[in-house]
Amino acid sequence: MAVRESHQETSGTPDPIERGFATLNTLRIGVKAMVEKDGELRKAEILSMKQRKDTPSFYVHYVDFNKRLDEWIPASRIDLSQEVEWPFPEKNEKNRKEKTATTNNKAQGKNQAQKRARADSRDISSTPDLLTGKNINVSKAQRPSKAGGKENREDETPVNSSFIGSEAASVAGTPRPEFEDVDMVDAGYSDSKDMKDEENGMEMSREEEIEKLRTGGSMTQNPIEIHRVRNLNRLQMGKHEMEPWYFSPYPEFFSDVDLVFIDEFCLSYFDDKNCFERHRAKCTLVHPPGNEIYRDDYISFFEVDGRRQRTWCRNLCLLSKLFLDHKTLYYDVDPFLFYCMCTRDETGCHLVGYFSKEKDSAEGYNLACILTLPQFQRRGFGRLLISFSYELSKREGKLGSPEKPLSDLGLLSYRQYWREVLVELLMQEGRESVSEYELAMYTSMTEKDVHETLLVLNMLRYHKGNWIIVLTDAVIDLHNKRLEKEKIKGIRKIDPARLQWKPPVFTASSRTWNW
C-alpha cells in the first residue's frame, strides 16, 4: 500500500511524495531507494536499468552527493525491506501539456506583438523631432552579450586600496563594518549565500568548502547533461588503470566493453586488446603533436594547435570529458590552443594534464578548460598548470582569468593558487603599500579575481571610502605552514627563464570554428 506525504520544495509549493514497498519487477527509472554504499545505506535515484549476465543492474545517483559517485550496482545492493519513493508520471504529463499550451499562447502573443510593432514603427519613422524638425531614425536594439563578462568589466568602478603592514593584523578578529553604499563585486563562481557569508566576514574552512562541493551536485552548464549515464566502465592508459567519473560521447558500443584501451601518446581508443597491441606496434608518436615550449628536469609543455591537430585534440577532449562534468567542447577545437604538460622517461613524454586557451578571447580569458588526469592528481601538477597559464599572460602583457564557471576541483585549485600568490607577494620585505591594480599587474590576475580572493581571505577592511588590505594572523600562519610543507615535499615551480615562447599570431580563419 502506497502512502503519500507532502514536503516543501525550494519554490515553496507542496509536492506529494508517494511511498511504498517495491520488488525487483516493479522498480523503474526515477524511483528513490536505499542503497548500500561503503557499508552504510544511502538514498539513491535510479537513472537507468539494463540486464547484465542475466541479472538486472541499476545505474544510481546518490542524493546529496556529487554525481561523479554515480555507478552501476547489482540488485543485491538495493534494500527492498524499506519503502521507496515513487515518481509521478502523471504529473510530468500534466506539466508537459501545460508547457505546450503556454508555448502556443506565447507564440500567438508574439505574433500579435510583432504586428503591432510593425504598425508602430511605420508611425514612428515618419514622426518629426520636436526640437530639430528632422525625422527620428529608429535603429534596432543592441543584442546583449551571452558571455556576460565584457560589459560588466566596462561598467565596474576601479577599487582603490592600499596595503597596511603586519601592525594592522591586530584587527583580524574585528568584523568589517557594513555600508549601504558599498556594492560588492559578484564572483562568477559564488552563489548568493557565499556572497552573504563573505560580506559578513565569515571564513569557510577547506573542510567546509569540500563538503559544500561534495553536496552541491553538478556544475554542468547544460541541465540535460545532469542525468546522463556514465557509459564507460574502466580505462587503461599506459600502465595506469582508472575508472571514469562522467559521461563522454565515445562510440555507443564501447558502453558494453569492460575495459577500454587508450594509447597514452596518440590518445586513440580501442575496445579490443589485440587491436590495441597491433596499433602500439605501428604508432610512432612519443609526445603530443606540437612544439615543446618549456622543459626543465621535471616536466615539459607542448603547444598543440586545434586546427592543425584536430583528431588528436578531439581525442583529448573525449578523454577529458570523462573527468569534467561541465565540459561540452568536442568537435569545435579549431579556435583553441592546447598546452599539454608531460613527464619524460626513456619511452617518451607521458601526458599528465593540460589546459586549453582560446586563440582570441573577447572576454580576456587565459584558460578555457583545465584537467589533471586522475592518476596524477594531488601531486602539485594542477598548480603548475595554473601557474603556466599566468606565465603566458605575462608574456602577452595581459591580465587573464579562467573561464567561468569552474568545475568543483578547478575552483579549489584556483582559490588555493590565488591565495598563495597574493600572500607571498604581500609578505615580501620592504613592501609597505600596494594597490589592487598593482597586485594585478604583478601577477597578471584580473582586479576582480584579486578583489574576490582578498574578500574570501577576510583581508579587506572598508575605511573612509577605500578598501584597506590587511594581513591577518590567520593568513600569515597558514602561509608559514605552507612554506614548511613545500620544503618537506619539494614543491616545484615554473621557471619563466625556461619558457621559449612568443605569443602566436593567427589569421581570422584559424581563430574561428570550421563550420
Side-chain angles (χ1 to χ4, degrees):
M1 178 178 178
V3 180
R4 293 174 181 259
E5 70 176 33
S6 178
H7 79 288
Q8 205 75 5
E9 283 187 342
T10 55
S11 60
T13 58
D15 180 30
I17 297 179
E18 182 180 357
R19 297 181 182 274
F21 292 96
T23 64
L24 288 180
N25 295 329
T26 58
L27 286 176
R28 62 179 186 266
I29 294 177
V31 170
K32 294 182 180 179
M34 301 304 294
V35 175
E36 188 273 329
K37 173 69 173 177
D38 297 333
E40 61 181 17
L41 292 178
R42 296 178 182 174
K43 182 187 293 187
E45 180 181 357
I46 299 177
L47 302 183
S48 182
M49 304 166 56
K50 69 178 181 179
Q51 289 289 123
R52 281 189 171 184
K53 299 178 181 179
D54 298 331
T55 58
S57 296
F58 302 86
Y59 190 81
V60 298
H61 166 70
Y62 297 99
V63 179
D64 294 333
F65 282 82
N66 193 289
K67 68 184 293 284
R68 72 165 57 100
L69 299 178
D70 295 359
E71 60 179 344
W72 285 100
I73 63 169
S76 59
R77 288 178 54 183
I78 302 178
D79 186 1
L80 297 178
S81 64
Q82 300 190 35
E83 292 183 335
V84 302
E85 297 179 6
W86 298 96
F88 284 90
E90 66 274 7
K91 179 180 177 181
N92 296 334
E93 180 67 18
K94 180 180 178 182
N95 290 340
R96 187 185 64 80
K97 293 181 180 179
E98 292 178 352
K99 184 177 181 180
T100 303
T102 304
T103 303
N104 294 335
N105 293 336
K106 287 183 177 179
Q108 295 176 0
K110 184 177 180 181
N111 293 334
Q112 295 177 359
Q114 290 177 348
K115 292 179 181 178
R116 289 195 299 268
R118 286 195 294 267
D120 294 342
S121 64
R122 288 194 294 268
D123 296 338
I124 294 176
S125 60
S126 60
T127 303
D129 192 337
L130 297 179
L131 296 179
T132 62
K134 300 179 181 179
N135 290 340
I136 301 176
N137 294 325
V138 182
S139 60
K140 185 178 179 181
Q142 184 177 2
R143 293 181 62 186
S145 172
K146 294 183 179 180
K150 187 175 181 180
E151 290 77 13
N152 293 339
R153 286 204 310 275
E154 294 174 352
D155 296 337
E156 287 177 4
T157 303
V159 182
N160 296 324
S161 60
S162 59
F163 167 64
I164 297 180
S166 58
E167 65 271 14
S170 59
V171 298
T174 307
R176 175 164 38 86
E178 297 182 359
F179 296 87
E180 295 181 356
D181 58 341
V182 177
D183 184 17
M184 289 292 184
V185 181
D186 185 19
Y189 47 76
S190 300
D191 56 20
S192 57
K193 184 179 184 301
D194 291 336
M195 292 307 299
K196 290 179 181 179
D197 293 343
E198 291 172 1
E199 292 176 7
N200 294 331
M202 295 175 60
E203 295 187 30
M204 182 181 294
S205 66
R206 181 173 178 82
E207 289 74 15
E208 293 173 342
E209 188 171 12
I210 293 176
E211 177 68 14
K212 179 179 181 298
L213 291 173
R214 180 185 68 80
T215 60
S218 170
M219 291 186 67
T220 181
Q221 297 174 350
N222 186 1
I224 300 177
E225 296 278 345
I226 292 179
H227 291 304
R228 299 197 75 168
V229 177
R230 187 177 66 222
N231 53 336
L232 300 188
N233 298 319
R234 290 181 301 142
L235 303 175
Q236 180 176 315
M237 185 174 176
K239 60 182 180 180
H240 301 281
E241 187 173 311
M242 46 191 169
E243 183 178 330
W245 295 349
Y246 304 113
F247 170 87
S248 183
Y250 280 92
E252 184 176 358
F253 60 87
F254 273 60
S255 60
D256 297 326
V257 180
D258 291 332
L259 183 62
V260 176
F261 301 90
I262 296 181
D263 190 321
E264 61 177 332
F265 297 113
C266 70
L267 304 184
S268 299
Y269 41 90
F270 303 87
D271 60 342
D272 181 73
K273 185 176 181 180
N274 293 329
C275 294
F276 171 70
E277 290 177 348
R278 287 197 300 267
H279 166 80
R280 281 302 308 143
K282 300 176 182 179
C283 185
T284 59
L285 195 64
V286 293
H287 61 75
N291 297 324
E292 186 177 12
I293 61 176
Y294 180 90
R295 172 182 285 202
D296 58 21
D297 57 350
Y298 187 52
I299 58 170
S300 292
F301 272 92
F302 291 84
E303 182 183 59
V304 184
D305 191 335
R307 185 178 181 85
R308 294 184 177 181
Q309 303 291 341
R310 286 198 186 105
T311 300
W312 193 90
C313 293
R314 288 172 178 174
N315 288 342
L316 178 62
C317 291
L318 274 176
L319 176 64
S320 62
K321 181 64 183 71
L322 292 171
F323 309 102
L324 295 175
D325 191 23
H326 69 289
K327 184 174 179 58
T328 57
L329 172 68
Y330 168 45
Y331 291 104
D332 303 327
V333 296
D334 284 26
F336 292 88
L337 290 171
F338 296 82
Y339 293 92
C340 305
M341 181 170 59
C342 302
T343 58
R344 303 184 308 274
D345 60 17
E346 63 278 359
T347 61
C349 298
H350 306 275
L351 182 67
V352 171
Y354 84 99
F355 68 88
S356 59
K357 178 181 179 180
E358 287 185 85
K359 296 176 182 177
D360 185 13
S361 175
E363 291 80 10
Y365 295 136
N366 68 349
L367 184 145
C369 180
I370 184 172
L371 171 71
T372 302
L373 293 176
Q375 62 267 32
F376 298 105
Q377 290 181 1
R378 304 187 65 84
R379 293 167 57 180
F381 289 112
R383 190 186 190 282
L384 290 176
L385 285 169
I386 297 174
S387 178
F388 193 81
S389 68
Y390 280 104
E391 289 299 331
L392 298 183
S393 296
K394 292 177 182 178
R395 287 290 179 93
E396 293 175 317
K398 299 178 180 178
L399 303 181
S401 180
E403 185 175 337
K404 311 297 191 308
L406 291 166
S407 64
D408 48 5
L409 297 179
L411 174 58
L412 284 176
S413 300
Y414 262 94
R415 282 186 173 176
Q416 181 178 359
Y417 173 81
W418 289 335
R419 181 185 71 237
E420 293 175 358
V421 171
L422 291 179
V423 174
E424 184 176 354
L425 190 61
L426 292 174
M427 291 190 64
Q428 291 180 355
E429 295 183 2
R431 190 176 300 281
E432 297 179 355
S433 64
V434 68
S435 65
E436 287 187 351
Y437 171 77
E438 291 172 330
L439 289 175
M441 296 303 295
Y442 290 147
T443 61
S444 285
M445 296 164 50
T446 62
E447 289 187 67
K448 182 177 181 180
D449 289 338
V450 172
H451 185 76
E452 289 298 330
T453 303
L454 296 176
L455 277 178
V456 171
L457 294 177
N458 196 26
M459 292 174 59
L460 285 182
R461 303 289 185 271
Y462 196 77
H463 179 68
K464 295 183 179 180
N466 288 323
W467 289 102
I468 308 299
I469 303 176
V470 179
L471 270 178
T472 64
D473 293 334
V475 171
I476 294 176
D477 292 341
L478 185 62
H479 179 72
N480 293 332
K481 291 180 181 179
R482 182 183 66 84
L483 292 179
E484 294 177 359
K485 289 183 179 179
E486 287 187 356
K487 292 180 180 179
I488 298 174
K489 294 183 178 181
I491 301 298
R492 299 176 181 269
K493 297 183 179 180
I494 297 295
D495 183 5
R498 296 178 179 267
L499 176 60
Q500 305 296 322
W501 181 80
K502 291 183 179 179
V505 179
F506 299 98
T507 61
S509 60
S510 63
R511 297 194 303 265
T512 58
W513 283 272
N514 187 33
W515 289 344

